Amino acid sequence: MPDKPKQGLDRRDFMIASIATMGASTVLAANAGPAKAQGTAASSGATSGTVYTGDVVDGKKVVSALDVNDLEPGKKHFLYFQGVEMPTGQHWLVSVTVAKGANPGKRGVLTSGVHGDEMSSIHTVHTVMNQLDPAQMSGSVTAVTDISRPALESMQRRWPNSGRGIDLIDMNREWPGNENGFTAPSRHAGLVFNRLLKPNADFAIDFHTGTTGFEVTAFNIAEMDIPEIKAMVDLYPVGQIFDNPTYPSVLHNAFNAAGIPSFCPEIGAARHLDLEMISLFVEGTMNVLKHHGILAGPVGRTGKDVTVFVGNSSFPILATAGGIVEHLVKLNDKVEPGQKVAVQRNSFGEVVAEYTSGVAGEITGQRSDVLSEPGNPLVFILFHQAAPEANETYPE
Ligand SMILES: [Zn+2]
């Protein structure tokens, strides 16, 4: 649909022109504070300095743009960032925690909640932030754990957009977003990326888990041929790495496209806290902060202390029938080509499908919902091949 961007620009120009001719006294004065983030959409990405809207919610000041350089050093700051508007005209606010070191240094960004059902990723970021003492830090760490607020409110993966009735939009296909986009989540992504995340990141980590009904191992998604990314990912005592560029529109790739090294940890199953896995990612993330000089002290366990399986490809096994799925292997198990990994039975208990691995690799994801329709992914097997395909499907 090549004509869409042009339409969008035309419409925006028209709106700006309309406001100008209506006389600024009523329209602009009434909206000066809260509307600013969206009213200045034409300058997307040109954030300079922190903009306070004047609102205070639950004791937290609201910003429509953030530059951590403006914040007082040596303390933690708790803010709300003003995202896109809801249908009622109120804004989706996302929570922002900044640990601003006493000394200057690199700026890290930690994010979660791009998908609304991924709880262990949120807890990982909370745990890291709660361990930070700004008085002992050089640089800053900015955390946002509820990026897709409306998805989180119902603990579901996707954003319930009201475009044509309720559309469920996967916000991890929207980055870097568009402040003049055709959906609210696209605009929200644009605001969050341009005015909150990108301006405050020398590196960034976007935490995820498996999705509802499909659990995954502990693994990192990363382009290991980029030295700055490999240096960080190697610091995680986590047993699998998916070394693949994945979709361009995921958040960690938007950072990479902006020249900010980034990767994506995946922390087990959705909807619950896996404290054992979380501790591995907390340790790895603290190592990354030490690597960048934000924290002092010795590095903990890393990839050198565990057996790490690196694959550049993900072999999907899709259901060919409807029925009850029984897995014959477990997450992290090694499998061989031809090895049977799952069976499926119909309502009579008869076997209707048997599923075998096509590759030698390790199980990295399994459908955890027992019933399945045809076409659903049942298993993902991490493996290595000489020429991996671009934009593969993978468990996320
Ligand atoms: Zn996710």
Short mmCIF file of all heavy atoms in Angstrom, two decimals, residues 115 118 157 172 208-210 266 396, ligand 1:
data_model
loop_
_atom_site.label_atom_id
_atom_site.label_comp_id
_atom_site.label_asym_id
_atom_site.label_seq_id
_atom_site.Cartn_x
_atom_site.Cartn_y
_atom_site.Cartn_z
N HIS A 115 4.60 -7.20 24.96
CA HIS A 115 3.49 -8.15 24.96
C HIS A 115 2.91 -8.20 26.37
O HIS A 115 3.65 -8.23 27.36
CB HIS A 115 3.97 -9.55 24.53
CG HIS A 115 4.37 -9.62 23.09
ND1 HIS A 115 5.51 -10.25 22.66
CD2 HIS A 115 3.77 -9.10 21.99
CE1 HIS A 115 5.58 -10.14 21.33
NE2 HIS A 115 4.54 -9.45 20.91
N GLU A 118 3.49 -11.35 29.42
CA GLU A 118 4.85 -11.87 29.65
C GLU A 118 5.40 -11.37 30.98
O GLU A 118 6.08 -10.36 31.06
CB GLU A 118 5.73 -11.49 28.46
CG GLU A 118 5.12 -12.00 27.15
CD GLU A 118 5.98 -11.77 25.92
OE1 GLU A 118 7.04 -11.13 26.04
OE2 GLU A 118 5.59 -12.26 24.85
N ARG A 157 -1.48 -10.91 24.97
CA ARG A 157 -0.32 -10.58 24.15
C ARG A 157 -0.49 -9.25 23.41
O ARG A 157 0.41 -8.42 23.38
CB ARG A 157 -0.10 -11.72 23.14
CG ARG A 157 1.03 -11.48 22.15
CD ARG A 157 1.12 -12.65 21.18
NE ARG A 157 2.13 -12.45 20.17
CZ ARG A 157 3.42 -12.75 20.30
NH1 ARG A 157 3.86 -13.25 21.45
NH2 ARG A 157 4.27 -12.56 19.33
N ASN A 172 4.82 -5.91 18.90
CA ASN A 172 6.20 -6.19 18.49
C ASN A 172 6.33 -6.41 16.99
O ASN A 172 7.25 -7.08 16.52
CB ASN A 172 6.80 -7.37 19.26
CG ASN A 172 8.26 -7.10 19.61
OD1 ASN A 172 8.72 -5.96 19.58
ND2 ASN A 172 9.01 -8.15 19.91
N HIS A 208 11.40 -10.49 26.97
CA HIS A 208 10.15 -11.17 26.59
C HIS A 208 10.08 -12.54 27.27
O HIS A 208 11.02 -12.95 27.98
CB HIS A 208 10.09 -11.36 25.07
CG HIS A 208 9.73 -10.11 24.33
ND1 HIS A 208 8.52 -9.90 23.74
CD2 HIS A 208 10.46 -8.98 24.10
CE1 HIS A 208 8.49 -8.70 23.18
NE2 HIS A 208 9.66 -8.13 23.38
N THR A 209 8.96 -13.24 27.05
CA THR A 209 8.84 -14.65 27.43
C THR A 209 8.15 -15.36 26.26
O THR A 209 7.85 -14.74 25.24
CB THR A 209 7.98 -14.85 28.70
OG1 THR A 209 6.59 -14.66 28.36
CG2 THR A 209 8.36 -13.90 29.82
N GLY A 210 7.87 -16.64 26.42
CA GLY A 210 6.98 -17.31 25.48
C GLY A 210 5.60 -16.64 25.54
O GLY A 210 5.39 -15.65 26.26
N GLU A 266 14.50 -14.17 26.23
CA GLU A 266 13.21 -14.87 26.34
C GLU A 266 13.26 -15.73 27.59
O GLU A 266 14.16 -16.55 27.75
CB GLU A 266 12.98 -15.75 25.10
CG GLU A 266 12.86 -14.98 23.79
CD GLU A 266 11.45 -14.45 23.52
OE1 GLU A 266 10.53 -14.76 24.30
OE2 GLU A 266 11.29 -13.72 22.53
N GLU A 396 8.25 -16.55 20.58
CA GLU A 396 8.54 -15.24 21.18
C GLU A 396 7.41 -14.87 22.10
O GLU A 396 6.65 -14.01 21.84
CB GLU A 396 8.73 -14.19 20.09
CG GLU A 396 7.88 -14.45 18.85
CD GLU A 396 7.35 -13.20 18.20
OE1 GLU A 396 7.83 -12.12 18.49
OE2 GLU A 396 6.43 -13.35 17.42
ZN ZN B 1 7.00 -11.24 23.64
#
